[in-house]
Structures are given as structure tokens and as C-alpha cells.
Amino acid sequence: MTQRVELATVMDRLAVDGLVTDYAVAVDDGDWAAYRALFTPDGRADYRSAGGIEGDARTVAGWLADSMRLFAMRQHLIVNRRVSFGILEQDTGDTARVQADYVNPMRFAGPGGDAGAPDFVCGGRYAFGLLRTYDGWRLREVVVEEKWRRLPGRPTDPADRDHAG
């Protein structure tokens, strides 16, 4: 590899990493306009393994907006990011796949605020499919694979999947 190609790859990795971080921040902050803007026009998300829905980014953003009202605080962490670049129409680097683990602590909204409200924690793995566009990298696909969750007062039960994260 030449230095120019290596530098371009590093810049792409940083941009892809920034997009994944922007995704987490948009969900945690409930910024659904920003969430939708992260996707390509045909972008889709699949939260079924976490008890949610699958659909286009606009539909899923609406579902998330409703579902996340249950939680006064959200702060999910996306770690162990594995990035690979692919080829679209013979141009190297037009696509990317990211596989990344997540831990998602959230606090239920309680009466009169969140003081004393119980916490809900889940974890799993994301599969992101990205596409390089004229506006930069965008999400074409997000698939959530929830692997575990801990509800207040209950042990972790992988079969208990009734909220998304």
C-alpha cells in the first residue's frame, strides 16, 4: 500500500467511527432528526431481537421516539468495533461493515423525575452496513442482536426481550 492509500483508509476509519458514535449519541439524546439524517434514503434498521421493529429509518425513528419515553436516561456504549471496507461498482472503499458490541444502561422514568427510578441494562452486538455518499458515510443498515438484559429486581434472562436499546 502506498502512503496515500493508507492515509485514505485511516481517514475512512475515522469517519466510520464518527458515524457510529453519532448514531449512539442520537439515540441516547433522543435526536430523531439527527438519527434519520445518518441513514441513506433507503436505509433500514432492525431492532426485532430487542423486542422492536424492522423498517425504514423514518419508521424506526418514530418507534424509537415512542419506546424511549420509558427511560429518563440513556447512555449506550459501542465498543470493540471491527471495520471492513468493501467494493461497490468496482470502486474500492465505497462500502463498509462494522460489527461492534454494546452495553446500554438506561434509567426508567419515575414519577416526579428519575430519582430513585430503577435501572435497566442490556447488551449485545450491532451490525452496521455503511455506504459512502456525496455527503460522506451514511448508514444503509443497522441490525441489533441483543444478547442479554437485566431488569430491575430480576436476574438476566435472554428470553425476556420486550424493550429496545
Side-chain angles (χ1 to χ4, degrees), residues 82-131:
R82 291 172 217 88
V83 179
S84 60
F85 293 99
I87 298 173
L88 178 68
E89 297 176 13
Q90 305 307 313
D91 291 327
T92 301
D94 284 337
T95 64
R97 301 288 306 163
V98 178
Q99 185 179 13
D101 297 324
Y102 70 88
V103 175
N104 186 5
M106 298 183 281
R107 172 152 299 149
F108 282 106
D114 67 345
D119 291 338
F120 167 91
V121 183
C122 61
R125 182 164 289 156
Y126 279 111
F128 295 99
L130 291 80
L131 179 68

Side-chain angles (χ1 to χ4, degrees), residues 4-6 11 21-22 28-30 53 73 87-88 106-107 112 121 129 139-140 144-146 148-149 152-153 162-163:
R4 180 172 288 160
V5 171
E6 289 172 358
M11 297 302 291
T21 298
D22 290 345
D28 291 344
D29 291 351
I53 67 169
M73 182 281 304
I87 298 173
L88 178 68
M106 298 183 281
R107 172 152 299 149
V121 183
L139 298 169
R140 184 180 245 175
V144 176
E145 180 191 347
E146 185 177 274
W148 62 271
R149 63 173 44 188
D162 56 351
H163 294 289

Side-chain angles (χ1 to χ4, degrees), residues 7-27:
L7 178 59
T9 301
V10 169
M11 297 302 291
D12 281 336
R13 286 185 70 87
L14 289 171
V16 164
D17 187 68
L19 182 62
V20 170
T21 298
D22 290 345
Y23 167 88
V25 171
V27 172

